[in-house]
Amino acid sequence: MSNILTIRGLKVAAPNGAILVDGIDLDLAPGEVLGLIGESGAGKSTIGLAAMGYGRGGCRIVGGSITIGETSLMDGSRATREKMRGARIAYVAQSAAAAFNPAIRIGEQIVEGALYHAKMTRPEAEAWKLELLKTLQLPNPETFGDRYPHQVSGGQLQRAMVAMAMSCRPHVLVLDEPTTALDVTTQIEVLALLRSLIQRYKTSALYITHDLAVVAQIANRIMVLRHGKLVEEGTAEQVLEAPREDYTRMLVAERQGNLSNAVTDHPIGEVLLDVKAIDAYYGKTAVLENISCQLRRGETLAVVGESGSGKSTLARCIAGLLPTSSGMISFDKNRLERSYKKRSKEELRRIQLVYQLPDVALNPRQTVGEIIGRPMKFYFGMHDVPREKEVARMLDLIGLPQEFATRLPGALSGGQKQRVCIARALAAKPDLIICDEVTSALDPLVAEEILKLLKSLQSELGLSYLFITHDLGVVRRLADRTLVMQRGKIVEQGATAEIFQPPFHPYTEELVISVPELRRDWLDDVLAKRKVAV
Amino acid sequence: MTAKLKAIPISAWLGLAIVTLNLLVFILGPILAPYGQNEIVGAPFDPPSAQFWFGLDQNGRDMFSRLLAGAQMSIGVSLAASLISFSIGIPLGFIAALFGGWVDTVLSRIVDTVMCIPVLISALVVLQALGSSVPVLIFTIALLDSTRVFRLARVVAQGISVLEYAETARLRGESLFWLITREILPNALPPLIAEFGMRFCFTFLFVAGLSFLGLGIQPPFADWGGMVKDNQQAILYGLYAPLFPAAAIALLTIGVNLVVDWLLNSGAAVQGADR
């Protein structure tokens, strides 16, 4: 059988001349799903876009050939490429919200491609749209298209984008992290629908993701990429079960190592943080209702839940960034003011926050040394010479070389930036560090390192963590106790080991079974279980 | 460093050269001028010659000398007005953004009130009332301009103050001064510098406009806008005289804009990398 997409010796260069993708060969047979796996910067999205003859952000395809069916994209004119895009090969992006025009109804955007390429008449396109919306199980498929993008949920919008991509019945779909931005429970739905859609219409697909467990459910073959080069390629079974290369083994091991529960190996003291029946509002909308929890010295309390569950809001209330409307927060037996503005310098020092996105958490115009040194000077009045020493010690503690002190954040990788954020929090010698999704924006292997660092810092310094996350694997390994939240309310809380052991609370169970596992039949199992549950 | 210099586009080099030339004239103009700015050296509207490169003006004064001397007044007034307007607008804009609430409301409404009157009319009223002296001119323009600077500084600071690093500094308990000088200002500089270039150009043209109306810099001092006005009839007779000061204004405006474009582009690149 001849290939539907053939790429030979693909080379893509960044505007500054750096080679992003170096000599990639890729074959895609009709009806086949090829998973592209790798960390950020591995070049997987670049390959996905290059398959359409497109270079994003000034990137140029400098070498190789791309053939779709019989048509060579690189030899043809711009018009040839434009004719292929959308019609023969279509793209589904990670962020559906950014991919839809907010001012045009969804249905109009779905049929646009088919009409533009003159593949169908309008009635045909409308009929096909209806069929797609039905296949993708969108609510009220007849009227769904009349809505605007902001009127539907994230999962629905992601599905609508798949419908948009399918509007010309393309032979190849490029799926670029289509479920990464979704909650785990929503991810399952989108994943299952994508799979059935691909099978039903025998569409080929490039499935780009950093999550091995996700790609395991949908791909026939897997290509593992790193730094724009191929690490290994094979059938899904072979790559997942018998990886040949060390790097792939590390990725697989990281995904499998998540299941053991945390062992408390550090002393736990008296109650440090006591939250009593707090409520919080954004305007008139209640975002937290009657939340109570306690955190002891040296303990890690994880707050889990899907997006919109109020877990980050809880962190902001404790930090005083969002004043609570009722209830009380005590810290070390003293009542904390509702707003950080009224708290004393000492109270501010003892609670530190580490954010999800290290890119915006560090002032780009201050050096690492200035950033880490500032709390030392501010809280402890340290002079230049001892401060420099302390900064060096801090860098040592977080595992960065001392010469990093003179660098600006722009010259650091994501993981390194997050380490600097942690060092800045540590420099204040806090009792409690609130970690708000600190590993969510990082690659799995980097996230793993950050978690290890946090754990060793805890046993060394006796820190307490309030750990906000949606990643249950992280919770199990790190948290002594866990608090499960849904729509601003507490679902349950208790020792992590108990929370994640049967009998489950129904919502917790849904979260637990929704975490992708590396088994090929995981998705089918979950879908079967869910049907029983419903 | 050489790599950085190479990265500067030709247009920016051209702009920098023009700006440097103007600055040199600004500093050294009267010394370089072959004749005094009020010295009558020949007949009105004498055409350019080897002796008088740009010819003579309506009173028979050397155009070239007057251009060199006028630079001091024209550029000086614009530069002073721009600097003052920025030193008023930036701190107030930052404070409005950081405090929010009623501070922001009061400051912003005052600015809105000033802005809703056309600048030229406000300036004419003040200059008529107080008389057109150079300090009054500078302060009037600076105050009117500072409303624009305020708006920009406020919106830029609002964008930065919601970023996590600014939030971290607030949570640390840092003073307003630290927040403004260390967290906001360094990151707000690219758009503000670009705006400075633009404002300077606008101010320059505005001063020229006022002089043209007779309310700007008063004779006998030479200034470029006034020189265009004084020589305007010459254009009816096909004489070049008013074209020289007009060209000087145009040249400086283009030069500053080229530099601003370059700063804006490199500023955008920096901001992009921050995200």
Side-chain angles (χ1 to χ4, degrees):
Chain A
M1 201 163 22
S2 66
N3 282 334
I4 191 87
L5 171 69
T6 313
I7 294 178
R8 286 285 170 271
L10 178 69
K11 254 189 172 186
V12 183
N16 63 8
I19 299 290
L20 300 177
V21 171
D22 194 1
I24 294 288
D25 298 333
L26 184 151
D27 298 282
L28 193 64
E32 188 182 37
V33 179
L34 174 63
L36 298 181
I37 277 278
E39 298 174 36
S40 51
K44 41 191 201 307
S45 290
T46 313
I47 295 173
L49 288 168
M52 311 176 71
Y54 183 74
R56 172 168 54 188
C59 295
R60 283 177 306 114
I61 300 169
V62 288
S65 69
I66 300 155
T67 318
I68 297 175
E70 304 293 309
T71 318
S72 168
L73 280 190
M74 295 318 293
D75 301 338
S77 64
R78 195 191 166 94
T80 321
R81 286 198 289 276
E82 274 171 10
K83 234 184 245 168
M84 305 296 281
R85 288 177 195 153
R88 302 284 298 278
I89 180 164
Y91 181 74
V92 177
Q94 174 172 355
S95 169
F100 273 94
N101 182 336
I104 300 178
R105 293 175 199 276
I106 293 173
E108 197 50 43
Q109 299 191 53
I110 291 176
V111 297
E112 193 183 10
L115 298 177
Y116 176 80
H117 287 288
K119 290 268 171 185
M120 300 175 198
T121 61
R122 186 167 266 277
E124 282 169 2
E126 293 287 342
W128 173 234
K129 175 190 84 180
L130 190 61
E131 185 185 334
L132 282 171
L133 294 180
K134 278 182 185 160
T135 313
L136 289 163
Q137 292 178 18
L138 285 157
N140 311 318
E142 287 80 11
T143 56
F144 184 83
D146 296 338
R147 302 204 214 166
Y148 286 98
H150 69 270
Q151 292 173 316
V152 305
S153 74
Q156 289 170 356
L157 201 58
Q158 197 71 40
R159 279 183 265 166
M161 184 157 58
V162 176
M164 180 160 78
M166 288 295 290
S167 77
C168 294
R169 301 175 189 255
H171 301 289
V172 185
L173 275 183
V174 178
L175 302 159
D176 193 351
E177 306 256 16
T179 64
T180 307
L182 303 174
D183 281 319
V184 278
T185 47
T186 323
Q187 166 166 293
I188 292 184
E189 289 161 23
V190 175
L191 207 54
L193 289 166
L194 261 177
R195 196 175 61 171
S196 68
L197 184 101
I198 286 170
Q199 281 164 0
R200 183 160 172 185
Y201 299 110
K202 305 208 168 31
T203 313
S204 308
L206 287 180
Y207 197 102
I208 298 165
T209 178
H210 66 279
D211 192 339
L212 264 181
V214 166
V215 86
Q217 309 312 317
I218 198 163
N220 310 105
R221 280 191 305 128
I222 291 178
M223 282 172 83
V224 182
L225 301 162
R226 194 180 196 191
H227 307 317
K229 292 204 171 89
L230 181 71
V231 175
E232 85 172 272
E233 182 178 3
T235 62
E237 286 83 3
Q238 182 259 311
V239 171
L240 296 171
E241 281 153 29
R244 285 191 299 262
E245 299 293 323
D246 285 344
Y247 178 66
T248 319
R249 265 186 227 123
M250 268 159 65
L251 286 178
V252 172
E254 189 279 327
R255 209 67 185 80
Q256 284 171 335
N258 284 359
L259 297 167
S260 60
N261 287 339
V263 189
T264 310
D265 53 357
H266 41 269
I268 289 185
E270 75 279 23
V271 173
L272 182 69
L273 177 75
D274 193 2
V275 177
K276 277 198 189 121
I278 59 166
D279 293 334
Y281 289 82
Y282 279 136
K284 283 185 176 164
T285 322
V287 280
L288 287 183
E289 286 176 64
N290 194 24
I291 303 287
S292 299
C293 61
Q294 285 190 337
L295 175 61
R296 291 166 189 278
R297 223 175 252 282
E299 191 181 44
T300 302
L301 173 65
V303 182
V304 295
E306 300 182 84
S307 52
S309 64
K311 51 190 195 306
S312 287
T313 312
L314 177 60
R316 293 181 76 77
C317 285
I318 294 170
L321 286 164
L322 178 70
T324 53
S325 56
S326 64
M328 191 177 89
I329 300 172
S330 317
F331 189 77
D332 205 8
K333 301 184 190 73
N334 291 317
R335 185 182 178 143
L336 284 182
E337 287 288 344
R338 292 161 60 231
S339 163
Y340 75 93
K341 287 177 192 157
K342 291 188 182 154
R343 294 182 186 173
S344 71
K345 202 167 160 182
E346 183 65 8
E347 283 169 340
L348 291 174
R349 176 186 72 76
R350 294 177 70 184
I351 301 179
Q352 292 290 317
L353 207 67
V354 180
Y355 294 92
Q356 173 173 8
L357 299 173
D359 293 343
V360 286
L362 299 175
N363 187 333
R365 310 271 168 187
Q366 290 175 5
T367 65
V368 170
E370 284 168 347
I371 290 169
I372 302 178
R374 179 60 191 168
M376 301 173 186
K377 178 153 202 266
F378 185 75
Y379 290 124
F380 308 112
M382 260 190 197
H383 293 295
D384 292 356
V385 178
R387 198 166 76 232
E388 264 170 41
K389 268 192 196 151
E390 185 65 12
V391 167
R393 196 181 71 83
M394 225 25 115
L395 284 171
D396 211 39
L397 196 64
I398 56 162
L400 289 182
Q402 292 186 2
E403 59 267 23
F404 270 51
T406 53
R407 290 204 192 172
L408 288 172
L412 270 54
S413 72
Q416 288 167 341
K417 281 183 203 164
Q418 196 58 293
R419 280 168 195 264
V420 173
C421 291
I422 293 172
R424 176 175 60 190
L426 287 177
K429 299 198 185 356
D431 297 307
L432 168 64
I433 298 185
I434 300 173
C435 301
D436 190 357
E437 300 268 15
V438 287
T439 57
S440 307
L442 304 174
D443 285 315
L445 293 176
V446 180
E448 184 72 24
E449 293 293 314
I450 294 286
L451 290 179
K452 272 188 198 150
L453 171 69
L454 285 171
K455 220 170 169 178
S456 75
L457 288 172
Q458 183 169 48
S459 39
E460 216 167 303
L461 306 170
L463 295 166
S464 305
Y465 292 138
L466 184 76
F467 216 92
I468 316 278
T469 183
H470 67 274
D471 187 340
L472 297 185
V474 172
V475 174
R476 285 185 169 193
R477 270 176 303 162
L478 211 70
D480 304 300
R481 288 193 314 114
T482 300
L483 184 129
V484 184
M485 288 183 71
Q486 185 185 21
R487 291 192 213 106
K489 293 186 187 122
I490 292 182
V491 172
E492 64 169 337
Q493 61 175 317
T496 305
E498 281 164 31
I499 297 266
F500 292 111
Q501 242 160 35
F504 292 107
H505 183 283
Y507 180 68
T508 313
E509 178 164 27
E510 200 185 335
L511 285 182
V512 171
I513 63 169
S514 302
V515 177
E517 288 171 29
L518 215 45
R519 297 178 287 126
R520 291 275 283 160
D521 48 3
W522 166 79
L523 187 59
D524 298 314
D525 285 1
V526 180
L527 293 172
K529 265 192 213 168
R530 273 191 153 194
K531 282 211 179 90
V532 173
V534 174
Chain B
M1 195 62 210
T2 44
K4 266 189 185 169
L5 285 180
K6 269 185 195 162
I8 300 176
I10 293 176
S11 64
W13 277 119
L14 192 63
L16 285 170
I18 294 171
V19 170
T20 316
L21 178 74
N22 273 288
L23 279 180
L24 283 176
V25 171
F26 169 62
I27 298 165
L28 304 171
I31 303 168
L32 294 177
Y35 304 95
Q37 57 174 311
N38 296 319
E39 197 178 330
I40 295 171
V41 288
F45 298 133
D46 265 1
S49 63
Q51 194 187 359
F52 309 114
W53 292 357
F54 293 168
L56 303 182
D57 75 354
Q58 88 281 12
N59 290 334
R61 295 171 293 192
D62 178 31
M63 185 65 85
F64 182 61
S65 303
R66 278 181 69 78
L67 270 182
L68 291 178
Q72 208 140 48
M73 198 52 99
S74 286
I75 299 177
V77 167
S78 315
L79 201 61
S82 307
L83 283 174
I84 295 171
S85 72
F86 271 72
S87 37
I88 298 171
I90 291 179
L92 288 181
F94 284 181
I95 285 170
L98 284 175
F99 277 104
W102 66 267
V103 177
D104 186 18
T105 309
V106 169
L107 284 171
S108 294
R109 291 304 81 78
I110 293 174
V111 163
D112 288 351
T113 313
V114 176
M115 281 180 90
C116 72
I117 306 165
V119 183
L120 194 60
I121 293 180
S122 313
L124 289 179
V125 169
V126 176
L127 290 173
Q128 279 294 357
L130 296 180
S132 181
S133 66
V134 170
V136 171
L137 188 66
I138 289 175
F139 273 98
T140 311
I141 296 172
L143 273 177
L144 291 172
D145 251 7
S146 68
T147 56
R148 266 85 180 163
V149 180
F150 169 87
R151 295 262 285 223
L152 178 75
R154 174 173 167 272
V155 75
V156 172
Q158 276 178 333
I160 295 170
S161 75
V162 297
L163 292 180
E164 277 89 339
Y165 60 82
E167 194 173 277
T168 306
R170 279 205 303 276
L171 266 184
R172 200 187 297 140
E174 295 284 6
S175 66
L176 186 67
F177 182 74
W178 173 278
L179 281 173
I180 287 181
T181 56
R182 305 304 292 272
E183 308 290 341
I184 309 274
L185 186 61
N187 293 292
L189 273 183
L192 287 176
I193 291 173
E195 176 70 9
F196 184 83
M198 304 269 263
R199 279 285 128 221
F200 174 73
C201 280
F202 288 146
T203 314
F204 192 83
L205 295 175
F206 189 60
V207 174
L210 282 176
S211 300
F212 188 82
L213 291 173
L215 274 167
I217 296 150
Q218 298 301 311
F221 293 110
D223 86 280
W224 296 354
M227 286 162 71
V228 178
K229 175 197 142 207
D230 294 343
N231 293 287
Q232 57 177 322
Q233 314 92 326
I235 209 85
L236 299 173
Y237 308 108
L239 298 169
Y240 298 112
L243 293 184
F244 294 111
I249 295 171
L251 189 69
L252 179 59
T253 311
I254 291 169
V256 172
N257 270 303
L258 287 175
V259 176
V260 166
D261 278 351
W262 164 60
L263 286 174
L264 265 180
N265 283 335
S266 54
V270 169
Q271 285 195 319
D274 291 349
R275 264 186 215 116

